[in-house]
Amino acid sequence: MPSPHRWPLAPLAAALALCGAARAQPVLPEVTVTVNKQAESLDALPASVSVFDGAALESTGIHGLDALAAQVPGFTFQAFGQSATQPPVMRGLTANFVSFSSSTLLLVDGVPTLMAQGFDHSLQGVERVEVLRGPQSTLHGRNAEAGVVSIITRQPGDAPYAALSGEAGSHGQRAGSLELGRALVPGQLYLGLSGEWREQDGFIRHQSTGQRVDGRERQSGRLVLRWTPTTATEASLRYAAQRWDDGASLWGSVQAPRASVNSGTEGWNRSRGRTLSLDVSHRFGPGLRLRSITARNVFDDRVLQDTDFQPASLMHVKRDYRLATTSQQLRLEGETRGARWLAGLYADRDGHDLRYEQQLPTGLMRPTARLGGSTTALFTHWTVPLADRWTLTVGARIERNRVRLTPQGSARRGEEWSRFSPKLSLQYQWAPTAQVYATYSEGYRAGGFNVFSPAMGYAGYAPETVRAVEIGAKGRLLDQRLRYAAALYTQQVRDMQVQQMGLPGVVYMTNAARARSTGLDLELDYVFSGGWQLQTALGLNRTRFGRFSDGAAVYDGHRNPFAPDVNAHLALRYDAPRGWWAQAAVQGTGKVYLDAANRYTRPGYALLNLAAGYASGPWEISAYVRNAANRRYDAVGYLNGQVVVYSPPRELGLRLTWRM
């Protein structure tokens, strides 16, 4: 039975069963990560990284990135209330859903998602998730200025694998999933597939009809064909799809009773995502490997949302976007005189068709635009031993971005930017499993245009840049039973992109701000004798505008919207030798402001989550309770004071799984 935390404890449980708690000394196993495009030991990597086992997340009822983020220091999501569009917040830097770019990069098997739209995953069929914090533009380019979330799905092999599960829970929740993997031609050709369907009734009631208006339905699937014609060559063809068929967003009026609307416009979300990729690698000899990832990522953002919440259809917003990115990455990695190195080429092309509808009391607007762009980049990364216990890591990237906007009925606009992104890290391995390090890195987020602001002349905004310094310590102690990681950082942000909101649907971007972000990330995992494990994570962050004026308004010293000053996670788990386990976890997030003026807030909150399960042979049954105390933490005043984004209520679930 895998642990719900970062490392599976099945070897520990087996040792306890055979030897007894008095004789067995549990240890935390070695963990290998690949988020830096090369396989590296977690303990030896000079960076802040959290790693999660996919099967463990599944068993404890974690079905999305928003729930996973609660276990990562310095990582949250904006309170947005719409499935499939999740603006991430990492180390105080926020994504903006109207800019078609993100501050944090999402990778799924190496394929990038560069914006808040489509920043979602069911975590079904996943081997592990790696979260790397701090600017990563040297290796990953635009929109990795705050960090990277890398999802690695399970690869099929010679050993057949099958899993089937069903789930039921509160608010009419029902779900089912299937995963299969087997060899078509042993030793050469393999097939893997997975799929999940999940549906749940809503909790927001229509005042006139009494019906729930915010039901949720999500379907996802993945197919992979893996070919290994020789021991040196491997190719994987992958296709993945997600679809959402939801009701209205978790929105309501600040003046109406909680969790109720009286909307004359029916809200819905019918978004779709599809990814096709070809991943090919070849080893030319010891220490020399070439890898290519070619991908096509398409996301259809289709939403209709009422924003007046009254029977008369006075205000609503509607999006019908097709967001398409084609990307190609080539990289060569090897070793030279003890130094590990990587060099690569990256290119992508965006082609976004944007149709927007906005109903205001003054009339209906339906602007349409074509947003295109391209990126080309060269990058390299070296890890060089300097002397006994000292290692230098150095990297650089040269990248050029082009953006083209063609509004319907207006002249075409274009901008180009070039950026050099360096990274330098020095680490000292003071013990075999312990190190300290210092890192300087730079990151950036792509610039763009205010696509639906004809009154502003479709004003452009420049790239946002970050310069960061991080000092950290990490390792294992107490006979490998304690793993710790601590990082202190400061980030200087220039040309900060801030999302400003007027009336619902009137949203625009500005470069008005400079800011400084400082913080501390702490992680601690400890396994006790007798099957107990403790996991803790703490993120402290202070992001404040240094100088920020927007027209007559001055926001100097204000907090960056949606960025909490603190988030924390504490979990205690027990694995019994006879196959059952139980876990209690507390997660907390500090207060966030919803606007640059810092007038509207979502309060700080703490949630209690419980889970337990029993495994016998191929069968496992597990139960979970999320938000056991039914805590409310609504974001009151979203969209310049007009909207409440409701927090979800307590949720209970029971899951039955069969594995082969």
Side-chain angles (χ1 to χ4, degrees), residues 305-504:
Q305 178 58 43
D306 182 40
T307 54
D308 60 73
F309 310 107
Q310 298 299 318
S313 184
L314 301 176
M315 295 192 302
H316 70 255
V317 292
K318 183 179 182 180
R319 302 194 303 269
D320 186 1
Y321 301 163
R322 168 153 289 192
L323 310 169
T325 300
T326 303
S327 61
Q328 172 64 59
Q329 181 178 166
L330 286 170
R331 65 179 188 256
L332 184 68
E333 61 182 86
E335 295 184 14
T336 303
R337 297 180 180 179
R340 292 187 301 113
W341 57 268
L342 181 150
L345 167 69
Y346 174 83
D348 69 30
R349 181 174 295 276
D350 295 331
H352 307 327
D353 294 317
L354 310 174
R355 292 176 291 275
Y356 186 66
E357 180 176 297
Q358 180 179 353
Q359 174 72 58
L360 294 173
T362 55
L364 179 67
M365 295 186 299
R366 289 175 174 167
T368 300
R370 171 77 175 178
L371 182 64
S374 63
T375 300
T376 54
L378 294 171
F379 60 90
T380 188
H381 186 267
W382 290 72
T383 302
V384 183
L386 295 179
D388 186 32
R389 300 186 179 183
W390 289 92
T391 303
L392 176 69
T393 301
V394 60
R397 186 186 191 97
I398 300 175
E399 183 161 313
R400 186 166 185 81
N401 305 118
R402 297 176 174 86
V403 179
R404 299 288 184 267
L405 173 66
T406 308
Q408 187 179 49
S410 184
R412 182 181 182 184
R413 290 156 175 81
E415 289 285 353
E416 297 183 5
W417 302 278
S418 295
R419 182 70 186 171
F420 175 71
S421 301
K423 186 173 185 177
L424 181 67
S425 182
L426 182 65
Q427 67 185 103
Y428 176 66
Q429 198 83 23
W430 62 271
T433 58
Q435 63 152 301
V436 293
Y437 65 89
T439 299
Y440 172 80
S441 58
E442 296 186 11
Y444 71 98
R445 184 189 327 194
F449 294 94
N450 282 289
V451 176
F452 301 120
S453 299
M456 301 172 58
Y458 305 98
Y461 48 90
E464 175 181 296
T465 61
V466 177
R467 295 179 177 178
V469 175
E470 178 175 327
I471 300 173
K474 60 195 304 185
R476 288 185 287 169
L477 296 171
L478 302 178
D479 297 325
Q480 316 304 313
R481 292 186 292 133
L482 173 69
R483 178 177 268 121
Y484 65 90
L488 180 67
Y489 61 88
T490 181
Q491 304 179 132
Q492 183 67 43
V493 188
R494 295 179 180 272
D495 291 321
M496 193 174 193
Q497 297 174 9
V498 181
Q499 183 173 280
Q500 297 282 71
M501 300 182 184
L503 293 172

Side-chain angles (χ1 to χ4, degrees), residues 7 31-33 40-45 49 51 435 474 483:
W7 305 280
V31 177
T32 299
V33 295
E40 300 173 275
S41 168
L42 176 64
D43 294 332
L45 183 65
V49 186
V51 186
Q435 63 152 301
K474 60 195 304 185
R483 178 177 268 121

Side-chain angles (χ1 to χ4, degrees), residues 35-36 48-50 75 90 103-107 119 129-137 139-141 143-151:
V35 70
N36 267 348
S48 299
V49 186
S50 302
F75 185 29
M90 188 172 287
S103 57
T104 301
L105 179 68
L106 173 64
L107 295 173
F119 204 108
V129 182
E130 303 171 1
V131 183
L132 175 60
R133 299 177 294 282
Q136 307 301 327
S137 292
L139 274 177
H140 297 283
N143 302 351
E145 64 166 356
V148 175
V149 178
S150 178
I151 298 174

Side-chain angles (χ1 to χ4, degrees), residues 199-240:
E199 188 172 357
Q200 189 172 30
D201 299 334
F203 63 92
I204 301 174
R205 290 189 178 274
H206 197 285
Q207 294 174 4
S208 299
T209 66
Q211 296 180 341
R212 295 184 177 93
V213 299
D214 61 314
R216 295 286 183 266
E217 182 178 352
R218 180 177 68 191
Q219 301 171 27
S220 61
R222 178 180 60 91
L223 176 69
V224 56
L225 190 63
R226 180 182 174 217
W227 183 41
T228 56
T230 70
T231 57
T233 304
E234 178 175 338
S236 293
L237 180 65
R238 298 185 178 95
Y239 177 76

Side-chain angles (χ1 to χ4, degrees), residues 243-275:
R243 59 181 295 168
W244 295 262
D245 288 298
D246 297 349
S249 303
L250 306 185
W251 290 11
S253 170
V254 295
Q255 301 172 342
R258 187 182 188 274
S260 67
V261 296
N262 201 20
S263 298
T265 300
E266 181 182 3
W268 45 260
N269 179 353
R270 298 167 188 159
S271 298
R272 307 287 186 266
R274 299 168 302 284
T275 301

